PDB file of all heavy atoms in Angstrom:
ATOM      1  N   TYR A  41     -12.079   2.261  20.737  1.00  0.00           N
ATOM      2  CA  TYR A  41     -11.250   3.309  21.109  1.00  0.00           C
ATOM      3  C   TYR A  41     -11.978   4.535  21.429  1.00  0.00           C
ATOM      4  O   TYR A  41     -12.858   4.964  20.565  1.00  0.00           O
ATOM      5  CB  TYR A  41     -10.272   3.585  20.048  1.00  0.00           C
ATOM      6  CG  TYR A  41      -9.381   2.464  19.611  1.00  0.00           C
ATOM      7  CD1 TYR A  41      -9.647   1.640  18.499  1.00  0.00           C
ATOM      8  CD2 TYR A  41      -8.270   1.938  20.454  1.00  0.00           C
ATOM      9  CE1 TYR A  41      -8.909   0.570  18.027  1.00  0.00           C
ATOM     10  CE2 TYR A  41      -7.562   0.799  20.069  1.00  0.00           C
ATOM     11  CZ  TYR A  41      -7.927   0.230  18.982  1.00  0.00           C
ATOM     12  OH  TYR A  41      -7.186  -0.927  18.465  1.00  0.00           O
ATOM     13  N   TYR A  45      -7.984   6.801  15.465  1.00  0.00           N
ATOM     14  CA  TYR A  45      -7.782   7.191  14.108  1.00  0.00           C
ATOM     15  C   TYR A  45      -7.958   5.938  13.215  1.00  0.00           C
ATOM     16  O   TYR A  45      -7.907   4.754  13.765  1.00  0.00           O
ATOM     17  CB  TYR A  45      -6.401   7.711  13.951  1.00  0.00           C
ATOM     18  CG  TYR A  45      -5.293   6.613  14.030  1.00  0.00           C
ATOM     19  CD1 TYR A  45      -4.892   5.805  13.026  1.00  0.00           C
ATOM     20  CD2 TYR A  45      -4.746   6.406  15.308  1.00  0.00           C
ATOM     21  CE1 TYR A  45      -3.960   4.832  13.103  1.00  0.00           C
ATOM     22  CE2 TYR A  45      -3.663   5.453  15.517  1.00  0.00           C
ATOM     23  CZ  TYR A  45      -3.359   4.590  14.420  1.00  0.00           C
ATOM     24  OH  TYR A  45      -2.457   3.603  14.639  1.00  0.00           O
ATOM     25  N   ILE A  48      -7.167   4.894   5.788  1.00  0.00           N
ATOM     26  CA  ILE A  48      -7.554   4.234   4.639  1.00  0.00           C
ATOM     27  C   ILE A  48      -6.504   4.473   3.441  1.00  0.00           C
ATOM     28  O   ILE A  48      -5.974   5.553   3.194  1.00  0.00           O
ATOM     29  CB  ILE A  48      -8.835   4.873   4.018  1.00  0.00           C
ATOM     30  CG1 ILE A  48      -9.978   4.656   5.054  1.00  0.00           C
ATOM     31  CG2 ILE A  48      -9.177   4.161   2.720  1.00  0.00           C
ATOM     32  CD1 ILE A  48     -11.301   5.297   4.735  1.00  0.00           C
ATOM     33  N   ILE A  72      -9.579  14.055   7.912  1.00  0.00           N
ATOM     34  CA  ILE A  72     -10.945  14.304   8.417  1.00  0.00           C
ATOM     35  C   ILE A  72     -10.798  14.501   9.842  1.00  0.00           C
ATOM     36  O   ILE A  72     -10.434  13.509  10.556  1.00  0.00           O
ATOM     37  CB  ILE A  72     -11.966  13.267   8.019  1.00  0.00           C
ATOM     38  CG1 ILE A  72     -12.012  13.119   6.504  1.00  0.00           C
ATOM     39  CG2 ILE A  72     -13.275  13.462   8.581  1.00  0.00           C
ATOM     40  CD1 ILE A  72     -12.927  11.944   5.996  1.00  0.00           C
ATOM     41  N   ALA A  99     -52.034  -2.264   1.791  1.00  0.00           N
ATOM     42  CA  ALA A  99     -52.327  -3.523   2.552  1.00  0.00           C
ATOM     43  C   ALA A  99     -51.640  -3.438   3.965  1.00  0.00           C
ATOM     44  O   ALA A  99     -50.957  -4.311   4.322  1.00  0.00           O
ATOM     45  CB  ALA A  99     -51.899  -4.741   1.837  1.00  0.00           C
ATOM     46  N   PRO A 113     -50.981  -9.413  -7.539  1.00  0.00           N
ATOM     47  CA  PRO A 113     -51.482  -8.885  -8.756  1.00  0.00           C
ATOM     48  C   PRO A 113     -50.923  -7.610  -9.243  1.00  0.00           C
ATOM     49  O   PRO A 113     -50.686  -7.436 -10.490  1.00  0.00           O
ATOM     50  CB  PRO A 113     -52.999  -8.670  -8.584  1.00  0.00           C
ATOM     51  CG  PRO A 113     -53.285  -9.708  -7.392  1.00  0.00           C
ATOM     52  CD  PRO A 113     -52.100  -9.646  -6.484  1.00  0.00           C
ATOM     53  N   ASP A 179     -42.106 -20.792  -9.454  1.00  0.00           N
ATOM     54  CA  ASP A 179     -42.760 -21.677 -10.445  1.00  0.00           C
ATOM     55  C   ASP A 179     -44.065 -22.336  -9.946  1.00  0.00           C
ATOM     56  O   ASP A 179     -44.671 -23.125 -10.737  1.00  0.00           O
ATOM     57  CB  ASP A 179     -41.854 -22.732 -10.948  1.00  0.00           C
ATOM     58  CG  ASP A 179     -41.470 -23.800 -10.012  1.00  0.00           C
ATOM     59  OD1 ASP A 179     -41.644 -23.557  -8.688  1.00  0.00           O
ATOM     60  OD2 ASP A 179     -40.986 -24.889 -10.440  1.00  0.00           O
ATOM     61  N   VAL A 223     -28.257 -17.735  -5.537  1.00  0.00           N
ATOM     62  CA  VAL A 223     -29.429 -18.431  -6.118  1.00  0.00           C
ATOM     63  C   VAL A 223     -30.456 -18.443  -4.992  1.00  0.00           C
ATOM     64  O   VAL A 223     -30.216 -18.874  -3.836  1.00  0.00           O
ATOM     65  CB  VAL A 223     -28.992 -20.010  -6.441  1.00  0.00           C
ATOM     66  CG1 VAL A 223     -30.242 -20.697  -6.936  1.00  0.00           C
ATOM     67  CG2 VAL A 223     -27.925 -19.934  -7.677  1.00  0.00           C
ATOM     68  N   ALA A 243     -26.466 -23.794  -7.484  1.00  0.00           N
ATOM     69  CA  ALA A 243     -25.659 -22.931  -6.588  1.00  0.00           C
ATOM     70  C   ALA A 243     -24.270 -23.524  -6.283  1.00  0.00           C
ATOM     71  O   ALA A 243     -23.180 -22.890  -6.434  1.00  0.00           O
ATOM     72  CB  ALA A 243     -26.388 -22.376  -5.465  1.00  0.00           C
ATOM     73  N   HIS A 293     -40.524 -18.672  13.340  1.00  0.00           N
ATOM     74  CA  HIS A 293     -41.227 -19.714  14.118  1.00  0.00           C
ATOM     75  C   HIS A 293     -40.228 -20.925  14.165  1.00  0.00           C
ATOM     76  O   HIS A 293     -40.516 -21.786  13.215  1.00  0.00           O
ATOM     77  CB  HIS A 293     -42.531 -20.009  13.516  1.00  0.00           C
ATOM     78  CG  HIS A 293     -43.470 -18.906  13.730  1.00  0.00           C
ATOM     79  ND1 HIS A 293     -44.203 -18.606  14.925  1.00  0.00           N
ATOM     80  CD2 HIS A 293     -43.712 -17.827  12.934  1.00  0.00           C
ATOM     81  CE1 HIS A 293     -44.840 -17.528  14.709  1.00  0.00           C
ATOM     82  NE2 HIS A 293     -44.647 -17.018  13.549  1.00  0.00           N
ATOM     83  N   ALA A 317     -42.853  -7.290  12.551  1.00  0.00           N
ATOM     84  CA  ALA A 317     -43.870  -6.600  13.360  1.00  0.00           C
ATOM     85  C   ALA A 317     -44.922  -5.991  12.377  1.00  0.00           C
ATOM     86  O   ALA A 317     -46.099  -6.161  12.803  1.00  0.00           O
ATOM     87  CB  ALA A 317     -43.228  -5.451  14.102  1.00  0.00           C
ATOM     88  N   MET A 329     -30.652 -18.166  18.897  1.00  0.00           N
ATOM     89  CA  MET A 329     -29.923 -18.457  17.756  1.00  0.00           C
ATOM     90  C   MET A 329     -28.507 -18.053  18.073  1.00  0.00           C
ATOM     91  O   MET A 329     -27.521 -18.899  17.701  1.00  0.00           O
ATOM     92  CB  MET A 329     -30.424 -17.744  16.602  1.00  0.00           C
ATOM     93  CG  MET A 329     -31.800 -18.142  16.054  1.00  0.00           C
ATOM     94  SD  MET A 329     -32.357 -17.160  14.626  1.00  0.00           S
ATOM     95  CE  MET A 329     -34.106 -17.518  14.584  1.00  0.00           C
ATOM     96  N   VAL A 334     -25.688 -19.762  15.654  1.00  0.00           N
ATOM     97  CA  VAL A 334     -26.212 -19.426  14.332  1.00  0.00           C
ATOM     98  C   VAL A 334     -25.775 -18.123  13.820  1.00  0.00           C
ATOM     99  O   VAL A 334     -25.832 -17.103  14.615  1.00  0.00           O
ATOM    100  CB  VAL A 334     -27.866 -19.454  14.343  1.00  0.00           C
ATOM    101  CG1 VAL A 334     -28.430 -19.256  12.983  1.00  0.00           C
ATOM    102  CG2 VAL A 334     -28.334 -20.946  14.859  1.00  0.00           C
ATOM    103  N   PRO A 335     -25.252 -17.915  12.603  1.00  0.00           N
ATOM    104  CA  PRO A 335     -24.999 -16.596  12.177  1.00  0.00           C
ATOM    105  C   PRO A 335     -26.212 -15.902  11.948  1.00  0.00           C
ATOM    106  O   PRO A 335     -27.131 -16.256  11.225  1.00  0.00           O
ATOM    107  CB  PRO A 335     -24.299 -16.968  10.763  1.00  0.00           C
ATOM    108  CG  PRO A 335     -23.778 -18.459  10.819  1.00  0.00           C
ATOM    109  CD  PRO A 335     -24.818 -19.064  11.734  1.00  0.00           C
ATOM    110  N   LEU A 338     -28.926  -8.586   9.931  1.00  0.00           N
ATOM    111  CA  LEU A 338     -30.152  -7.818   9.834  1.00  0.00           C
ATOM    112  C   LEU A 338     -30.612  -7.566   8.406  1.00  0.00           C
ATOM    113  O   LEU A 338     -29.816  -7.444   7.513  1.00  0.00           O
ATOM    114  CB  LEU A 338     -29.951  -6.452  10.560  1.00  0.00           C
ATOM    115  CG  LEU A 338     -29.892  -6.470  12.051  1.00  0.00           C
ATOM    116  CD1 LEU A 338     -29.742  -5.088  12.609  1.00  0.00           C
ATOM    117  CD2 LEU A 338     -30.997  -7.115  12.787  1.00  0.00           C
ATOM    118  N   GLU A 399     -10.658  -3.699  10.613  1.00  0.00           N
ATOM    119  CA  GLU A 399      -9.399  -4.327  10.778  1.00  0.00           C
ATOM    120  C   GLU A 399      -8.370  -4.128   9.609  1.00  0.00           C
ATOM    121  O   GLU A 399      -8.889  -4.032   8.555  1.00  0.00           O
ATOM    122  CB  GLU A 399      -9.529  -5.763  10.986  1.00  0.00           C
ATOM    123  CG  GLU A 399     -10.520  -6.217  12.106  1.00  0.00           C
ATOM    124  CD  GLU A 399     -10.705  -7.683  12.381  1.00  0.00           C
ATOM    125  OE1 GLU A 399      -9.698  -8.270  12.678  1.00  0.00           O
ATOM    126  OE2 GLU A 399     -11.927  -8.234  12.022  1.00  0.00           O
ATOM    127  N   ALA A 432     -29.047   8.317  13.806  1.00  0.00           N
ATOM    128  CA  ALA A 432     -27.931   9.288  13.964  1.00  0.00           C
ATOM    129  C   ALA A 432     -27.614   9.736  12.503  1.00  0.00           C
ATOM    130  O   ALA A 432     -27.684   8.974  11.593  1.00  0.00           O
ATOM    131  CB  ALA A 432     -26.655   8.560  14.518  1.00  0.00           C
ATOM    132  N   THR A 435     -22.305  11.562   8.640  1.00  0.00           N
ATOM    133  CA  THR A 435     -21.561  12.685   8.114  1.00  0.00           C
ATOM    134  C   THR A 435     -20.724  12.162   6.839  1.00  0.00           C
ATOM    135  O   THR A 435     -20.498  12.907   5.890  1.00  0.00           O
ATOM    136  CB  THR A 435     -20.483  13.118   9.212  1.00  0.00           C
ATOM    137  OG1 THR A 435     -21.308  13.785  10.185  1.00  0.00           O
ATOM    138  CG2 THR A 435     -19.506  14.134   8.497  1.00  0.00           C
ATOM    139  N   ALA A 446     -22.067  12.408   2.048  1.00  0.00           N
ATOM    140  CA  ALA A 446     -21.482  13.569   2.775  1.00  0.00           C
ATOM    141  C   ALA A 446     -22.644  14.223   3.465  1.00  0.00           C
ATOM    142  O   ALA A 446     -23.562  14.743   2.802  1.00  0.00           O
ATOM    143  CB  ALA A 446     -20.674  14.490   1.844  1.00  0.00           C
ATOM    144  N   ALA A 457     -34.247  13.712  -7.887  1.00  0.00           N
ATOM    145  CA  ALA A 457     -34.744  13.028  -9.057  1.00  0.00           C
ATOM    146  C   ALA A 457     -35.193  11.607  -8.884  1.00  0.00           C
ATOM    147  O   ALA A 457     -36.160  11.142  -9.502  1.00  0.00           O
ATOM    148  CB  ALA A 457     -33.436  13.028 -10.060  1.00  0.00           C
ATOM    149  N   GLN A 467     -47.122   5.565  -9.380  1.00  0.00           N
ATOM    150  CA  GLN A 467     -48.418   6.030 -10.064  1.00  0.00           C
ATOM    151  C   GLN A 467     -48.680   5.170 -11.231  1.00  0.00           C
ATOM    152  O   GLN A 467     -49.774   4.778 -11.564  1.00  0.00           O
ATOM    153  CB  GLN A 467     -48.406   7.402 -10.299  1.00  0.00           C
ATOM    154  CG  GLN A 467     -48.477   8.267  -8.960  1.00  0.00           C
ATOM    155  CD  GLN A 467     -48.281   9.726  -9.227  1.00  0.00           C
ATOM    156  OE1 GLN A 467     -47.943  10.235 -10.314  1.00  0.00           O
ATOM    157  NE2 GLN A 467     -48.540  10.451  -8.181  1.00  0.00           N
TER     158      GLN A 467
END
Side-chain angles (χ1 to χ4, degrees):
Y41 303 104
Y45 68 89
I48 298 171
I72 299 173
D179 69 340
V223 175
H293 297 278
M329 295 179 195
V334 176
L338 290 182
E399 301 179 67
T435 294
Q467 292 173 349

